[in-house]
């Protein structure tokens, strides 16, 4: 990649500038790490020997690789090999120091991944999902045939393996609510040790998640997350005795946690109102101390054996970096640095379901009203935060304001806010987006004649649904890898997403057809008036191509202004130049069709 082109616009530099993810380190060999970087123009896995400083690219595929992990002894890099982004494949492994890839779990057919845990004896527990079998979990041991220890039609996956390799924590949704998991702890022969189900068999909307077994040999404590007080909080569950140790930390937002390596304390990640911070919690006396991080968003953190903490941090104005509590940057990619961008402002808007949090960025020049992009996040169980984004920064450079809305369905604002979208799927979110749109216009921020509705994945779905249900509100629509025809999408998508859709809608398209019809963009396609740009991955298992083609055919049949770009990848691209190409096409499409 070019790293010194002074004529390159800043928005392209932000994409092309090499960056790195948070390094994962091997539990029994902490000097051996694995991280993701786009240093060659494609996101790939890299091995890093901290003792020598040596780094090498471990994977090299045309469409990139990001799903990988290290064996506990640091001798092997495991990575998931799919075909052109279709997420269907097998695990491969290679020596940490380099060498040929080999099948990591011979005897297991390709599948969608559903978790992986690697034992210290060379064994592995492999979670799999297929349309034919639903969810399965196999124990794989060298020179033996894989043994199936779990199977169910509903979604399930590997949570964690105890340090001694005798206990396996599984997250499952056998009760039929794919948004709220229950937990089961198994021996590796498949027999049950303990169970925990806050859903009471699917009658309560309370989820659990596995955060990890204690990193101490023979320790049967399992760190889990729960929602018993209306938000995510950590708890320690001794799966041998059944004892549950509630941790009341007095922090207002959602909490996640991981063990310090000696098992004496927890590293707490606190997410509240689109920012996050870190804390250390002492298990012996309940002491809570803040880990010093700048204001912004921590996108991942890990406690090292010496007690220091490494974390990936950014803000809307400053690009991401891997930092340490020892001070300074832990890991940098060589080459040019990404230019910064504009800070984010908070807006709180009264909506039909309560106060809505929106994040606003204004371009450098002018007082407004501005042409404005409503950049809608995917998920839907996700949230926008005060974190760096090359996409929003590009729109700012082109004179647009950017508004991001944490609509009902978003995480980070309590369980009720996240769960509110059920049954009126898509329509609930658009009510919140519309309330923020009205606020932005009334406040003089957004020019009502030049409003762009944009998003990818679930955000792309909301874009198409919004163009059809709010046709007078939007001047241009930009939808990447969207759901466009919900009934066809349901029948073509991967099995885990079918389960999620049954939870969201309360059944299948055959069981609740009116709900699917009311929430499908295809229902409203003839009402769309704004020019529409759609980008679609031809190998996408989440938002498959056939249902997008159905929608596009309806646009074309009535001569609606639209443009479609199909690319050879899955649910998004890991190739930097492809990302730049797509965003350039979106910007050019918007500029061509917005009023001057």
């Amino acid at each position: 990649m070019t790293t010194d082109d002074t004529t390159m616009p800043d928005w392209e530099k932000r994409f092309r500038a090499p960056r790195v993810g948070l390094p994962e380190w091997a539990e029994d060999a902490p000097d051996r790490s694995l991280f993701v970087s786009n240093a060659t123009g494609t996101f790939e896995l890299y091995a890093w020997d901290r003792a020598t400083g040596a780094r090498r690219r471990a994977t090299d595929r045309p469409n990139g690789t990001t799903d990988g992990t290290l064996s506990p002894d640091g001798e092997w890099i495991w990575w998931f090999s799919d075909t052109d982004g279709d997420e269907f494949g097998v695990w491969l492994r290679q020596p940490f120091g380099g060498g040929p890839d080999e099948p990591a779990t011979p005897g297991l057919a390709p599948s969608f991944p559903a978790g992986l845990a690697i034992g210290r004896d060379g064994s592995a527990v492999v979670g799999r999902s297929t349309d034919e079998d639903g969810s399965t979990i196999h124990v794989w041991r060298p020179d033996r045939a894989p043994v199936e220890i779990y199977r169910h039609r509903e979604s399930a996956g590997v949570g964690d393996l105890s340090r001694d390799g005798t206990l396996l924590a599984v997250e499952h949704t056998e009760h039929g609510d794919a948004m709220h998991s229950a937990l089961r702890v198994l021996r590796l022969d498949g027999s049950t040790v303990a169970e925990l189900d806050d859903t009471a068999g699917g009658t309560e909307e309370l989820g659990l998640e596995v955060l990890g077994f204690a990193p101490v040999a023979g320790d049967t404590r399992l760190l889990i997350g729960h929602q018993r007080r209306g938000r995510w909080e950590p708890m320690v569950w001794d799966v041998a005795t059944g004892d549950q140790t509630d941790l009341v930390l007095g922090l207002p937002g959602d909490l996640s946690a991981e063990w310090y390596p000696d098992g004496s304390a927890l590293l707490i990640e606190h997410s509240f109102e689109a920012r996050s911070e870190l804390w250390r919690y002492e298990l012996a006396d309940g002491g809570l101390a803040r880990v010093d991080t700048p204001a912004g968003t921590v996108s991942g953190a890990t406690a090292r054996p010496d007690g220091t903490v490494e974390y990936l941090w950014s803000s809307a104005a400053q690009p991401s970096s891997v930092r340490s509590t020892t001070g300074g940057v832990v890991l940098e990619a060589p080459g040019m640095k990404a230019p910064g961008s504009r800070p984010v402002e908070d807006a709180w808007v009264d909506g039909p379901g309560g106060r809505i949090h929106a994040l606003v960025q204004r371009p450098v020049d002018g007082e407004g009203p501005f042409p404005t992009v409503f950049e809608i996040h995917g998920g839907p169980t996700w949230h926008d935060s005060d974190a760096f984004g090359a996409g929003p920064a590009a729109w700012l450079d082109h004179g647009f304001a950017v508004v991001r809305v944490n609509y009902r369905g978003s995480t980070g604002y309590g369980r009720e806010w996240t769960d509110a979208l059920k049954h009126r799927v898509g329509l609930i979110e658009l009510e919140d987006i519309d309330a923020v749109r009205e606020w932005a216009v009334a406040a003089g921020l957004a020019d009502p004649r030049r409003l762009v509705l944009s998003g990818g994945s679930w955000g792309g779905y909301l874009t198409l649904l919004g163009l059809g249900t709010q046709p007078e509100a939007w001047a241009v629509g930009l939808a990447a890898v969207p759901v466009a025809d919900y009934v066809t999408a349901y029948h073509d998508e991967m099995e885990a997403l079918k389960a999620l859709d049954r939870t969201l809608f309360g059944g299948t398209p055959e069981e609740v057809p009116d709900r699917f019809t009311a929430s499908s963009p295809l229902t409203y396609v003839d009402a769309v008036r704004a020019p529409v740009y759609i980008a679609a991955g031809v190998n996408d298992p989440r938002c498959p191509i056939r249902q997008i083609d159905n929608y596009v055919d309806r646009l074309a049949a009535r001569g609606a202004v639209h443009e479609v770009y199909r690319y050879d990848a899955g649910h998004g691209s890991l190739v930097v130049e492809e990302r730049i190409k797509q965003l350039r096409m979106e910007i050019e499409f918007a500029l061509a069709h917005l009023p001057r």
Side-chain angles (χ1 to χ4, degrees):
M1 291 192 305
T2 301
T3 58
D4 58 351
D5 188 350
T6 57
T7 65
M8 186 186 302
D10 280 354
W11 77 267
E12 292 188 25
K13 290 179 182 177
R14 295 189 191 97
F15 281 92
R16 291 196 175 98
R19 58 186 186 272
V20 295
L22 181 70
E24 170 197 344
W25 50 275
E27 293 178 7
D28 299 336
D31 280 343
R32 293 190 168 186
S33 292
L34 187 70
F35 64 91
V36 174
S37 177
N38 67 332
T40 61
T42 301
F43 285 88
E44 296 286 1
L45 295 169
Y46 287 74
W48 175 29
D49 188 328
R50 295 173 183 242
T52 65
R55 305 181 201 174
R56 70 172 187 88
R57 185 174 59 192
T59 56
D60 183 7
R61 300 194 301 157
N63 286 299
T65 315
T66 58
D67 196 355
T69 190
L70 291 170
S71 59
D73 60 9
E75 292 295 321
W76 294 95
I77 296 170
W78 289 54
W79 61 276
F80 191 76
S81 175
D82 65 355
T83 302
D84 296 328
D86 66 359
E87 302 181 44
F88 193 84
V90 297
W91 288 97
L92 301 180
R93 69 176 191 171
Q94 65 175 256
F96 181 83
D101 293 308
E102 64 183 42
T105 56
L108 289 179
S111 68
F112 295 108
L116 172 72
I118 304 172
R120 285 171 167 76
D121 60 355
S123 64
V125 182
V126 185
R128 303 170 66 254
S129 174
T130 65
D131 293 344
E132 297 77 21
D133 298 330
S135 301
T136 59
I137 296 176
H138 289 76
V139 175
W140 181 88
R141 293 183 173 91
D143 303 319
R144 300 188 200 176
V147 177
E148 181 183 297
I149 63 170
Y150 179 91
R151 174 183 290 258
H152 202 278
R153 284 304 311 173
E154 299 292 346
S155 298
V158 172
D160 193 28
L161 191 64
S162 62
R163 187 175 180 85
D164 60 12
T166 62
L167 300 175
L168 172 69
V170 175
E171 295 182 2
H172 72 83
T173 59
E174 294 172 7
H175 47 267
D177 181 351
M179 293 181 69
H180 302 95
S181 294
L183 306 183
R184 182 174 297 143
V185 178
L186 304 174
R187 301 178 185 90
L188 294 198
D189 62 4
S191 60
T192 298
V193 175
E195 298 203 55
L196 199 59
D197 181 8
D198 281 7
T199 74
T203 61
E204 300 286 342
E205 294 182 336
L206 294 173
L208 298 167
E209 63 177 345
V210 173
L211 300 176
F213 275 104
V216 179
D219 198 325
T220 55
R221 293 176 300 166
L222 179 64
L223 182 63
I224 66 175
H226 70 89
Q227 296 178 302
R228 295 174 183 177
R229 286 184 286 265
R231 59 197 176 99
W232 284 108
E233 297 178 88
M235 178 176 72
V236 177
W237 175 32
D238 191 322
V239 302
T241 66
D243 292 340
Q244 298 176 21
T245 304
D246 195 9
L247 308 178
V248 181
L249 305 184
L251 299 171
D254 281 338
L255 304 171
S256 186
E258 72 165 46
W259 298 91
Y260 273 80
D262 63 1
S264 67
L266 301 177
L267 177 61
I268 306 293
E269 184 174 331
H270 175 225
S271 176
F272 183 59
E273 297 183 349
R275 276 87 178 174
S276 55
E277 59 186 6
L278 300 175
W279 298 77
R280 178 181 171 119
Y281 177 81
E282 303 292 344
L283 288 164
D285 59 10
L288 187 65
R290 193 175 187 281
V291 177
D292 188 34
T293 61
T297 295
V298 174
S299 300
T302 183
R304 295 278 293 163
D306 62 1
T308 61
V309 174
E310 295 177 354
Y311 58 95
L312 183 64
W313 174 90
S314 73
S315 70
Q318 297 184 56
S320 64
S321 58
V322 180
R323 303 187 178 198
S324 171
T325 51
T326 60
V329 174
V330 174
L331 180 66
E332 283 189 300
M336 69 177 174
K337 305 305 176 187
S341 186
R342 301 286 292 163
V344 72
E345 305 169 18
D346 296 282
W348 291 93
V349 179
D350 290 333
R355 284 205 316 161
I356 308 159
H357 191 193
L359 303 176
V360 177
Q361 289 172 283
R362 302 171 186 265
V364 175
D365 297 325
E367 296 297 325
F370 303 103
T372 300
V373 175
F374 279 69
E375 185 71 34
I376 309 304
H377 72 73
T381 51
W382 189 251
H383 68 271
D384 280 314
S385 60
D386 183 5
F388 194 77
W395 288 106
L396 294 168
D397 287 0
H398 284 82
F400 288 77
V402 177
V403 177
R404 292 176 285 170
V405 182
N406 284 332
Y407 50 76
R408 278 172 288 173
S410 302
T411 54
Y413 301 88
R415 180 183 61 81
E416 290 186 4
W417 191 260
T418 301
D419 290 349
L421 55 80
K422 284 186 177 180
H423 305 335
R424 293 187 63 240
V425 177
L427 305 173
I428 286 282
E429 300 96 295
L430 286 168
E431 289 176 356
D432 293 348
I433 293 167
D434 195 50
V436 176
R437 180 192 63 81
E438 291 181 352
W439 164 84
V441 170
L445 170 73
D447 182 341
R449 302 174 305 114
R450 296 187 290 168
L451 298 180
V452 179
L453 187 58
S454 175
S457 190
W458 196 266
Y461 158 62
L462 293 178
T463 294
L464 296 185
L465 189 63
L467 296 178
T469 59
Q470 304 165 351
E472 305 303 321
W474 308 103
V476 169
L478 309 170
V481 292
V483 175
D485 167 7
Y486 221 129
V487 174
T488 302
Y490 175 86
H491 290 299
D492 289 359
E493 68 194 4
M494 58 202 299
E495 184 61 33
L497 290 184
K498 285 186 173 73
L500 176 60
D501 283 339
R502 290 193 296 271
T503 296
L504 289 173
F505 287 95
T508 68
E510 292 70 35
E511 293 166 339
V512 288
D514 291 346
R515 290 178 180 174
F516 275 83
T517 298
S519 295
S520 178
L522 188 66
T523 302
Y524 312 97
V525 64
D526 291 337
V528 173
R529 297 293 176 264
V532 188
Y533 169 89
I534 297 174
V538 298
N539 304 312
D540 191 344
R542 298 173 181 266
C543 298
I545 193 68
R546 183 167 71 107
Q547 52 94 28
I548 293 174
D549 288 340
N550 292 345
Y551 184 91
V552 171
D553 288 346
R554 288 279 296 275
L555 287 175
R558 65 181 181 86
V561 178
H562 69 284
E563 184 175 325
V564 183
Y565 173 65
R566 297 174 179 85
Y567 58 97
D568 189 20
H571 199 60
S573 177
L574 299 177
V575 179
V576 171
E577 291 302 323
E578 179 63 34
R579 292 185 175 187
I580 292 172
K581 177 181 179 180
Q582 291 184 29
L583 185 55
R584 182 184 292 115
M585 293 170 72
E586 291 184 0
I587 292 171
E588 290 175 351
F589 186 88
L591 292 175
H593 293 287
L594 286 176
R596 295 293 180 182

